[in-house]
Amino acid sequence: MDSQTVDASPQTAEGTRPAATLKRNALGVLGILFFVLSAQAPLTGIAGAVPIAVAIGNGPGAPAAYALAGAVILLFSVGFVAMGRHVVNAGAFYTYIGKGLGRTTGSGSAAVALFAYCTVQAAMYGLYGVTVSGLVGHYTGVQTPWWVWALVTMVVVQVLGAAGIEIGAKILAVFVLAEFSILLAFALVTLVKGGGPEGLGVADTFSPGAVLQGAPGVALMFAVASMFGFEATAIYGEEARTPHKTVPRATYLSVAVVTGFFAFISWMLVSSYGPSRATAAAGRALAGGDSTVFVFEPIADQFGGWVYDVLPVLLATSLFAGILAFHNSANRYLFSLSREGLLPARLRSLNSRHAPWTAGVVQTAIAVLLVVPFALAGKDPVLTLFSWFSGVGVLACMLLYFLTSVSVIVFFRRSRLDTRPWNTLIAPALGALGIAAVIWIVVANFTTLIGGDPATATWLVIAVPAVLLLGAGAARAVHARAAAR
């Protein structure tokens, strides 16, 4: 390596440089931003998480939890971006962690990343299947099982993933803009009108007393979950135009946009009911079995009944966009691991569009294996598949954030490639502390998060470090075998 950069070019475990590379110069800042926002599934996050955060979290103070979560992620991003200037690889997390904490730990974290992306995607298939099945039944009168639409969509996602990164970005852009437009229009109109029956309620939402009332940890937990997926900025580094500029800009922009969006929209939702009434309204929506009512009702009051026809469709497209985004992230992890010799060589094969075709097929097969057992067992896809896998996916991602922050500190203390204290020590350390606190909160409230029993919660929590250890052990065996040749 030279004095400025780390050699992050793709190499196999034996050190030979393979020919397989992803398509260069395919994405700009906005293209990457759309992938990140799609992984967030904005309407899904608002309609699914905000009612719960308000009802059983800290009530009208929930919007402040989104701002606080954004601050923690922003601190994490400082070190994440600093590392990204020297390491460009489709493996992102595991590559970063490996540079600081050793390649065995890095490879173990790759298993955790795959586990996180695949479980979250499977969770989204559960909610998506129910949503589409309901829409089809509403408009045609034909009742179909949720899993039919999940399986059909897996085929569609596989085709789009193989079609190339630019096509996926364009499709996601349409869906994301539609979601953002209607939610942002509602929030802006509410703001201009001065809020709801009790005004904007700034103090009732953002004062320290409002933030700390009720169960702020639960609200923070759901707020952090809404940030999940922003790290895709680094995953697409190899396919970005001038990645040393594009990835940092896309990262900071995505964190700022996601934080501002969720905090603003949730604030205006609380305001539309009135801070003193919002908690009860969210509770009624949850008790009625459809949390989306808390979000859809004030928007319909603002714009008319047509909203009840449009928003469920946008919820389905929101979920589809998120599913496609996680498919693209997961298959790039498989591709990158194969390229380094940790997985079979066939996974590094690319089609004519420089898309990881075989890795995409394997990722789709994993989705089938995760989703089908719930269908065969007749389990409720929302109360089990969606709740369990989204919870464990968030916990896994928090572990990756923590390990990355620690790795950033170790890497720059060792390499001295960047000696800025704030970027390479202070911000990563503060981010690690904040993320550790979030992990503690998530574990303490995990049974509530997944809506399951304590035994199920315990097994799901144990699964995360177990995957880390299994991945690290498998990688160590591969490295030892390669060294013995």
Side-chain angles (χ1 to χ4, degrees):
M1 79 181 66
D2 60 29
S3 61
Q4 297 298 319
T5 62
V6 169
D7 182 6
S9 301
Q11 296 186 18
T12 66
E14 290 79 12
T16 58
R17 194 177 302 277
T21 57
L22 297 169
K23 188 173 183 179
R24 306 290 184 178
N25 301 315
L27 292 171
V29 172
L30 292 181
I32 296 176
L33 178 63
F34 277 120
F35 272 110
V36 172
L37 298 181
S38 300
Q40 254 87 46
L43 183 55
T44 303
I46 291 294
V50 171
I52 302 174
V54 173
I56 64 176
N58 57 348
Y66 283 92
L68 181 59
V72 172
I73 298 302
L74 187 61
L75 285 171
F76 166 82
S77 299
V78 174
F80 186 71
V81 165
M83 180 74 92
R85 293 183 185 278
H86 301 281
V87 181
V88 179
N89 187 285
F93 272 146
Y94 90 82
T95 307
Y96 290 10
I97 293 170
K99 290 295 181 183
L101 303 182
R103 64 179 182 176
T104 298
T105 303
S107 299
S109 68
V112 175
L114 276 171
F115 180 69
Y117 289 137
C118 291
T119 51
V120 168
Q121 187 200 45
M124 297 179 84
Y125 271 122
L127 183 56
Y128 172 85
V130 170
T131 302
V132 175
S133 178
L135 286 171
V136 172
H138 175 72
Y139 287 109
T140 69
V142 177
Q143 301 302 317
T144 53
W146 66 270
W147 51 265
V148 170
W149 298 107
L151 292 176
V152 168
T153 302
M154 289 178 192
V155 176
V156 175
V157 167
Q158 171 62 33
V159 171
L160 288 176
I165 200 73
E166 308 100 317
I167 294 176
K170 291 174 183 176
I171 292 174
L172 294 180
V174 174
F175 291 157
V176 170
L177 285 174
E179 296 174 53
F180 261 67
S181 296
I182 192 165
L183 289 172
L184 194 58
F186 157 75
L188 289 173
V189 170
T190 304
L191 178 66
V192 170
K193 288 184 175 180
E198 300 173 20
L200 293 174
V202 177
D204 294 310
T205 296
F206 294 103
S207 68
V211 174
L212 296 176
Q213 67 180 309
V218 174
L220 181 62
M221 180 172 59
F222 283 101
V224 171
S226 299
M227 304 288 172
F228 187 81
F230 83 93
E231 69 286 342
T233 54
I235 292 175
Y236 297 109
E238 286 187 42
E239 297 156 278
R241 304 184 193 103
T242 58
H244 297 296
K245 295 180 180 179
T246 300
V247 172
R249 291 171 183 171
T251 301
Y252 287 131
L253 183 60
S254 65
V255 173
V257 169
V258 170
T259 300
F261 178 80
F262 278 97
F264 180 46
I265 302 299
S266 59
W267 175 29
M268 289 300 100
L269 283 169
V270 168
S271 175
S272 68
Y273 285 97
S276 67
R277 306 173 187 174
T279 303
R284 286 194 299 271
L286 292 181
D290 185 4
S291 63
T292 63
V293 171
F294 179 76
V295 175
F296 291 178
E297 190 173 277
I299 299 177
D301 289 343
Q302 196 76 263
F303 298 134
W306 60 268
V307 165
Y308 288 113
D309 293 319
V310 173
L311 283 181
V313 175
L314 287 181
L315 178 59
T317 60
S318 172
L319 287 162
F320 177 81
I323 287 168
L324 180 56
F326 281 115
H327 171 82
N328 283 325
S329 295
N331 67 26
R332 276 154 181 76
Y333 261 91
L334 290 168
F335 169 84
S336 184
L337 286 169
S338 171
R339 197 169 55 183
E340 295 189 8
L342 295 173
L343 288 177
R346 289 196 64 184
L347 291 176
R348 77 187 72 160
S349 63
L350 301 171
N351 62 15
S352 60
R353 293 182 176 271
H354 286 262
W357 161 255
T358 307
V361 171
V362 171
Q363 199 285 317
T364 300
I366 292 172
V368 172
L369 292 174
L370 290 175
V371 170
V372 168
F374 287 85
L376 293 176
K379 295 291 188 180
D380 185 297
V382 176
L383 297 180
T384 57
L385 177 58
F386 177 74
S387 297
W388 296 0
F389 281 175
S390 58
V392 77
V394 168
L395 183 59
C397 198
M398 289 299 102
L399 176 60
L400 291 173
Y401 290 175
F402 177 78
L403 291 175
T404 301
S405 293
V406 175
S407 181
V408 167
I409 296 171
V410 174
F411 173 76
F412 284 113
R413 298 283 73 73
R414 181 188 300 148
S415 68
R416 311 303 297 175
L417 290 172
D418 188 336
T419 58
R420 295 173 295 172
W422 171 254
N423 298 72
T424 63
L425 177 61
I426 300 174
L430 292 175
L433 290 174
I435 292 163
V438 171
I439 291 174
W440 182 85
I441 291 171
V442 169
V443 172
N445 295 276
F446 201 73
T447 302
T448 301
L449 176 61
I450 67 167
D453 61 88
T456 301
T458 299
W459 281 111
L460 289 173
V461 169
I462 291 174
V464 176
V467 168
L468 177 68
L469 293 174
L470 287 172
R476 189 161 193 157
V478 170
H479 294 147
R481 192 163 54 248
R485 291 176 183 171

